[in-house]
Amino acid sequence: MNFISNKSYIYIIILFLIIISSVYIFVEFADHLLEEEKFFFDREVRQYVNAVSTGTLDSVFTFITELGSVRFITVCSIMLSTFLFFFYRSRKWRIVYFLVAIIGIGILTKTLKVLFERKRPNILEHYDGTGFSFPSGHSTGSMVFYGFIVYLTIRSHLQLSVKWLFGVLLSILILLIGFSRVYLGVHYASDVIAGHLLGLGWLVSCVLILEYTLWRKK
């Protein structure tokens, strides 16, 4: 008996393509970085940021970047785990794989930072701009944390319009957090793009394994 519909096969193929594409582009960035090439894209984005910088935008992106900080995401992860435990169906495996996703991406990001040892454009402690630069921890962390919330929203019984609203808003937030790191001068644009790709690949992998686990349990 075929327990998986043709539509499900299409979704699985798309998710695998996302993983493969994310890993491939990340490896390309990493390969160029190991060869110590200067990214033309990084210079262009930096020039654009310098041209549009204002005092108001400084304040806005200082607030936005905090939404992707280790401290903020750690506190919110505890809150989300608590919410899942008390209010969400099939909570055990969702909590387990959420923790695997959020803790795993932290370890992976730290390991890669030490491996590549890319220096930051600026060391600014008040923006969490310390340590090595590649990949951006704010970008990886926000992609996994807010992306997992998007996944939970999709799997919920909320109306489709609400799911779309949450998905679009959180996707924009993820991108803004990444851009805030470039705007504030503590990361290169390539750090952020690589961080988003790494986070996306890791998130989709964890979600696929979670869905497979839930399917097996049923």
Side-chain angles (χ1 to χ4, degrees), residues 42 118 121 133-136 139 186-196:
D42 287 337
R118 189 185 199 185
S133 186
F134 183 91
S136 164
S139 300
V186 292
H187 275 293
Y188 298 103
S190 52
D191 298 336
V192 169
I193 294 174
H196 280 156

Side-chain angles (χ1 to χ4, degrees), residues 102-150:
I102 204 70
I103 295 173
I105 196 61
I107 295 173
L108 186 58
T109 301
K110 288 288 186 183
T111 302
L112 290 171
K113 282 178 179 288
V114 173
L115 175 64
F116 291 104
E117 294 185 339
R118 189 185 199 185
K119 294 181 180 180
R120 292 179 182 270
N122 294 290
I123 301 295
L124 300 172
E125 187 173 351
H126 54 289
Y127 292 141
D128 290 333
T130 58
F132 295 117
S133 186
F134 183 91
S136 164
H138 279 62
S139 300
T140 57
S142 61
M143 177 62 76
V144 172
F145 176 73
Y146 295 111
F148 202 90
I149 294 177
V150 172

Side-chain angles (χ1 to χ4, degrees), residues 47-113:
Q47 290 177 7
Y48 170 77
V49 168
N50 290 337
V52 301
S53 296
T54 65
T56 300
L57 286 178
D58 290 352
S59 300
V60 170
F61 283 114
T62 297
F63 171 77
I64 289 175
T65 205
E66 184 61 26
L67 301 180
S69 67
V70 173
R71 178 176 58 254
F72 183 82
I73 288 183
T74 299
V75 172
C76 289
S77 295
I78 295 172
M79 294 171 62
L80 179 59
S81 299
T82 303
F83 171 80
L84 292 176
F85 182 80
F86 286 107
F87 300 108
Y88 212 90
R89 295 189 310 160
S90 304
R91 59 181 178 268
K92 182 180 76 169
W93 289 111
R94 286 192 168 87
I95 293 173
V96 168
Y97 281 101
F98 168 67
L99 293 177
V100 168
I102 204 70
I103 295 173
I105 196 61
I107 295 173
L108 186 58
T109 301
K110 288 288 186 183
T111 302
L112 290 171
K113 282 178 179 288

Side-chain angles (χ1 to χ4, degrees), residues 161-189:
S161 59
V162 176
K163 292 180 180 181
W164 270 103
L165 179 62
F166 267 94
V168 171
L169 290 178
L170 289 179
S171 297
I172 292 173
L173 177 59
I174 292 169
L175 295 176
L176 286 175
I177 289 172
F179 182 74
S180 73
R181 306 306 288 164
V182 180
Y183 180 90
L184 296 172
V186 292
H187 275 293
Y188 298 103

Side-chain angles (χ1 to χ4, degrees), residues 190-209:
S190 52
D191 298 336
V192 169
I193 294 174
H196 280 156
L197 292 170
L198 177 64
L200 180 61
W202 179 255
L203 171 66
V204 173
S205 299
C206 291
V207 167
L208 275 176
I209 298 172

